[in-house]
Amino acid sequence: MRWDFASVFDNTDALLVGAAGTLRIFAICLVLGLSLGLLVGLGRYSRNRWLHIPATIFVEFFRNTPVLVQILWFYFALPILLPFQISPLAAASLGISLNSAAFSAEIYRGGIQSIETGQWDGARALGMRWGQAMRRIILPQALKRMLPALTNRAIEIFKMSTLASAVAYVELLQQGKLIASLNYNPIEAYTAVAVIFFVFLWPLVQFSYFLERRLRRDE
Amino acid sequence: MTILKVSGLTKRFGTTDVLRGIDLEVARGERIAILGASGSGKSTLLRCLNFMERPGGGTIALDGQMLGREGKAGERTYRESELIQVRQRVGMVFQQFNLFPHMTAIGNVMEGLRTVRGMPKPEAEARARKELARVGLAEKADTYPAHLSGGQKQRVAIARALAMDPEMLLFDEPTSALDPELVGEVLAVILALAEEGRTMLLVTHELGFAYHVATRVIFLADGAIHEQGTPDEVLKNPKKDRTRAFLASHKQFSF
């Protein structure tokens, strides 16, 4: 057995297109997933049951169904129920974002709950409204504690983007499959895909460590 | 002139009656020390006055204005916007300081001015510097709470409350979490505020300080005012047995 990456390098263009597709879906799902997660997390934290119950149903539903099934459902089943087509990107983004929102919601809720009640007292005693206290006092402290867990979510979202290949969205794995089947070189093609993922993710993780250090400057 | 009038204030946590009908009238410029054993309801009373806790029953009037409105079942209901107004007028200092750890000392003092009052940054900063100077911490403006001593933290917390121009100050055991050698610096700041003629209610275990600073002393027992009067009356010549027993237990090892 002889490794020959020449066939992979010949398809650099295809891999670049795939990398762009991966980055695009990652950016969409990171923003949608983590911001929707914050809203759902606030709902889970709320004592108002009209917020708490829907948020809980959302979390339990999307946590306990596989992302791949959701993506396939949005792509193949939803257009039958609704009178419009849905693109592979939209279907995959929906599945990954909703799933990430469910998981990150629990991170947000836990982070917010971990802040001492004295911080609420201090904020309220100054005359702050709930939203002001949350935005200025509670969330900044909670985010610091949540950063490692949220980084894990971001890494997970990046890797989940490969599931979009199931609906033929053009991303790294999809392009790797293509190269492998054209040149009969699965070892080189999939190795290249894995290496590219590592090259993207490793700096991301380093950046999060840098952020953690910066946030700790008040200690 | 009366600034605060409390009538029949009650509060219950679960099945425990913590406050059982407190009547209290506070005149402007009065300095009231509230004493009592732990569990007597003194902290709860203070927390009800700026609505950190919602009172169970009774009424509170601030500056002649009755707060809340009568609900259907006879209980009073309070609008959040009304309570936010009250909290801006009644400052509070906590036993555990409750400084915001992610903000510097000056950031803490500016926070209410910026977020609640919407004051422009340069103005808020100037005001915050003034308040920090007043508590003797001008040079610690850019220090985070984690690098301040307990006494310094509490002085920042006092500056933070003062920045909002409160008409009345509530101190909830402000020196109880401090190492003994740090108590003095905080009491000195409170004493200076007293000399300015500020209205204040102070829950404390520092009997000597209460004697010097208070214009009136209230002894709370089982959620009710058991005895009150001038510091001389209550602290030197208590009339009731429970007050005497409380004072004796606090002076057990004095010399």
Side-chain angles (χ1 to χ4, degrees):
Chain A
M1 156 82 231
R2 205 164 65 76
W3 292 62
D4 178 12
F5 279 96
S7 56
V8 175
F9 287 124
D10 287 344
N11 291 291
T12 310
D13 291 359
L15 285 174
L16 281 177
V17 171
T22 293
L23 286 177
R24 183 187 306 135
I25 196 168
F26 169 67
I28 293 171
C29 296
L30 185 73
V31 171
L32 279 185
L34 294 191
S35 48
L36 182 62
L38 175 59
L39 289 182
V40 177
L42 289 173
R44 289 273 290 152
Y45 175 71
S46 170
R47 265 177 286 174
N48 179 335
R49 63 185 159 130
W50 297 110
L51 298 173
H52 184 84
I53 293 175
T56 305
I57 292 171
F58 177 93
V59 167
E60 293 308 336
F61 183 80
F62 285 103
R63 249 195 336 184
N64 295 304
T65 47
V67 184
L68 185 53
V69 173
Q70 288 164 24
I71 293 173
L72 293 174
W73 191 90
F74 282 124
Y75 190 63
F76 293 111
L78 193 63
I80 300 173
L81 301 172
L82 295 175
F84 54 77
Q85 284 299 312
I86 184 166
S87 71
L89 174 62
S93 300
L94 265 178
I96 297 169
S97 298
L98 295 176
N99 180 274
S100 305
F103 276 98
S104 58
E106 289 303 274
I107 299 172
Y108 285 116
R109 182 180 63 99
I112 291 167
Q113 274 172 346
S114 77
I115 302 300
E116 303 71 22
T117 54
Q119 291 296 306
W120 283 103
D121 280 355
R124 286 164 68 222
L126 289 174
M128 282 195 204
R129 296 171 186 286
W130 187 90
Q132 291 173 326
M134 185 58 91
R135 185 170 52 84
R136 297 285 308 165
I137 309 302
I138 306 301
L139 271 183
Q141 296 181 61
L143 273 174
K144 190 173 126 186
R145 296 183 191 178
M146 295 184 293
L147 197 63
L150 289 177
T151 304
N152 273 337
R153 275 333 302 166
I155 294 169
E156 208 52 48
I157 290 171
F158 204 106
K159 293 191 292 191
M160 274 196 287
S161 67
T162 53
L163 295 175
S165 65
V167 288
Y169 173 69
V170 178
E171 47 75 63
L172 272 170
L173 181 59
Q174 176 72 6
Q175 298 300 81
K177 276 189 207 168
L178 212 63
I179 293 166
S181 60
L182 282 176
N183 304 291
Y184 309 108
N185 60 347
I187 295 184
E188 289 85 355
Y190 290 127
T191 304
V193 168
V195 167
I196 296 171
F197 267 98
F198 185 84
V199 166
F200 275 124
L201 281 172
W202 192 77
L204 182 75
V205 173
Q206 299 310 309
F207 176 69
S208 84
Y209 291 152
F210 163 76
L211 266 186
E212 273 176 56
R213 277 196 302 275
R214 272 212 54 171
L215 285 171
R216 245 185 271 138
R217 77 203 148 150
D218 61 353
E219 276 164 16
Chain B
M1 201 179 73
T2 303
I3 179 167
L4 182 79
K5 189 172 165 123
V6 178
S7 308
L9 183 69
T10 62
K11 177 70 186 178
R12 161 180 284 214
F13 288 123
T15 55
T16 316
D17 287 308
V18 184
L19 298 176
R20 308 162 183 258
I22 303 274
D23 296 313
L24 176 66
E25 205 162 319
V26 183
R28 252 181 222 285
E30 249 195 307
R31 300 183 293 279
I32 301 178
I34 302 170
L35 312 178
S38 72
S40 60
K42 49 196 194 312
S43 280
T44 306
L45 169 61
L46 218 57
R47 290 174 63 86
C48 280
L49 296 183
N50 69 345
F51 295 88
M52 301 302 284
E53 305 283 353
R54 294 282 174 104
T59 60
I60 299 175
L62 186 64
D63 227 354
Q65 183 202 348
M66 186 71 82
L67 302 174
R69 59 177 73 171
E70 196 84 19
K72 291 184 198 101
E75 85 292 358
R76 291 195 82 76
T77 59
Y78 300 91
R79 278 177 301 115
E80 189 63 18
S81 58
E82 182 181 32
L83 303 187
I84 280 162
Q85 291 300 320
V86 171
R87 294 191 193 115
Q88 291 185 50
R89 297 170 61 187
V90 180
M92 188 162 202
V93 174
F94 302 90
Q95 182 178 351
Q96 298 296 340
F97 330 126
N98 298 343
L99 287 186
F100 309 133
H102 58 304
M103 296 176 181
T104 58
I106 195 164
N108 268 273
V109 182
M110 286 168 67
E111 185 55 25
L113 297 172
R114 299 277 291 133
T115 302
V116 179
R117 291 276 163 81
M119 191 184 274
K121 196 172 175 197
E123 208 180 315
E125 201 175 320
R127 177 65 200 267
R129 282 196 194 284
K130 211 182 92 192
E131 295 303 340
L132 281 176
R134 189 213 291 265
V135 298
L137 288 174
E139 79 288 359
K140 294 286 184 188
D142 298 318
T143 307
Y144 283 97
H147 299 293
L148 296 172
S149 73
Q152 291 170 334
K153 282 183 201 169
Q154 192 60 296
R155 282 147 68 196
V156 172
I158 292 172
R160 181 174 72 175
L162 289 174
M164 302 298 282
D165 284 319
E167 295 165 54
M168 190 166 82
L169 280 168
L170 308 175
F171 292 91
D172 188 5
E173 301 198 33
T175 59
S176 296
L178 299 177
D179 291 337
E181 74 272 22
L182 302 177
V183 169
E185 62 186 77
V186 172
L187 293 183
V189 167
I190 300 175
L191 184 65
L193 296 175
E195 282 162 357
E196 291 174 11
R198 286 176 184 269
T199 312
M200 52 176 81
L201 272 73
L202 174 80
V203 170
T204 185
H205 291 290
E206 304 282 340
L207 297 185
F209 183 68
Y211 180 80
H212 284 291
V213 81
T215 53
R216 179 165 31 140
V217 175
I218 289 177
F219 178 69
L220 225 56
D222 297 331
I225 295 179
H226 193 66
E227 182 167 357
Q228 63 175 313
T230 65
D232 272 316
E233 287 167 353
V234 177
L235 295 172
K236 287 202 162 163
N237 306 296
K239 292 186 180 56
K240 306 240 175 133
D241 291 341
R242 285 189 76 167
T243 319
R244 265 188 224 119
F246 173 83
L247 294 174
S249 72
H250 270 70
K251 291 187 225 162
Q252 202 173 358
F253 296 111
S254 62
F255 43 86

